[in-house]
Amino acid sequence: MLSADSARKPEALTARLFLALCPGADVQEALGAHAAAWQWPADAARYAPADWHVTLHFIGAVPRQRLDELRAALAVPMTPFELRIGVPELWPHGLAVLLPEAVPEDLRQLHERLGQALQGLGLRTDTRPYRPHLTLARHAVLAQPPAQRLVFDWPVQRYALMESTGQAGQRYRVLQHYGPALAHNSHL
């Protein structure tokens, strides 16, 4: 008979992490209106509003014992900015995404600071040019974006350390929020 400890999956010892911008309720509502205006194929896997985000850095699998170290080291200076988002694109492998009209300089700086913090922790960062986007759906090769572009402003006040859950109901969960909009960084 297996004990609870011996039956534990190795994945439970690690967390699949990333850093992201998460929209608030107003932006989620605007995104919802935008997503509803698309024509989706029957097999499209649309993301739930709670899962919408713009990835800053994918971190990958990290031992859970390092979470406190990461939480502290990833608190970097951030200047709030507006992200004007809504440019639809269909990417390879059936990704339906929204892009910003332009990448604000404050977003570029935040991305760079977080990359430096990750490297200081001995973690790898993606060497490809940063291309911020918000994924609306997967398996959406035949999706049709709305005829009229629906672009809106997203006031970004904070960023988050997030974990992939591996569950369909809610793919991601916030571990910690950061940013000047918070009196202190919130640990969840």
Side-chain angles (χ1 to χ4, degrees):
M1 181 169 178
L2 294 175
S3 70
D5 287 337
S6 65
R8 182 183 296 170
K9 295 179 184 177
E11 298 85 42
L13 301 176
T14 62
R16 193 164 186 255
L17 305 176
F18 62 99
L19 292 159
L21 306 176
C22 300
D26 291 348
V27 175
Q28 280 187 0
E29 187 176 325
L31 285 167
H34 185 96
W38 284 63
Q39 294 178 14
W40 298 104
D43 62 340
R46 294 175 57 186
Y47 280 34
D51 290 330
W52 288 333
H53 66 275
V54 171
T55 301
L56 292 161
H57 282 280
F58 176 73
I59 300 170
V62 175
R64 290 191 180 277
Q65 65 199 31
R66 290 193 69 190
L67 284 177
D68 288 341
E69 173 191 14
L70 265 70
R71 282 186 170 106
L74 295 173
V76 302
M78 177 200 176
T79 302
F81 56 90
E82 290 241 332
L83 188 61
R84 191 159 172 74
I85 196 162
V87 179
E89 277 194 14
L90 292 173
W91 282 7
H93 311 293
L95 286 181
V97 302
L98 294 178
L99 303 173
E101 286 188 326
V103 180
E105 185 56 31
D106 290 323
L107 173 53
R108 288 184 201 278
Q109 289 176 5
L110 177 60
H111 179 263
E112 185 177 322
R113 286 183 192 119
L114 288 168
Q116 291 168 350
L118 289 168
Q119 290 169 358
L121 290 164
L123 299 169
R124 284 192 228 167
T125 58
D126 195 340
T127 57
R128 295 174 294 182
Y130 180 52
R131 199 160 172 216
H133 63 279
L134 186 141
T135 302
L136 292 174
R138 296 187 180 278
H139 311 295
V141 173
L142 300 175
Q144 295 291 317
Q148 182 178 11
R149 188 190 287 182
L150 305 171
V151 179
F152 54 93
D153 294 325
W154 172 355
V156 178
Q157 302 286 323
R158 63 186 186 174
Y159 63 97
L161 174 61
M162 300 188 67
E163 178 179 8
S164 296
T165 65
Q167 300 170 5
Q170 186 173 0
R171 290 180 170 100
Y172 315 112
R173 71 181 182 106
V174 174
L175 297 179
Q176 182 153 345
H177 286 288
Y178 303 90
L182 306 171
H184 56 81
N185 291 326
S186 58
H187 174 69
L188 302 176

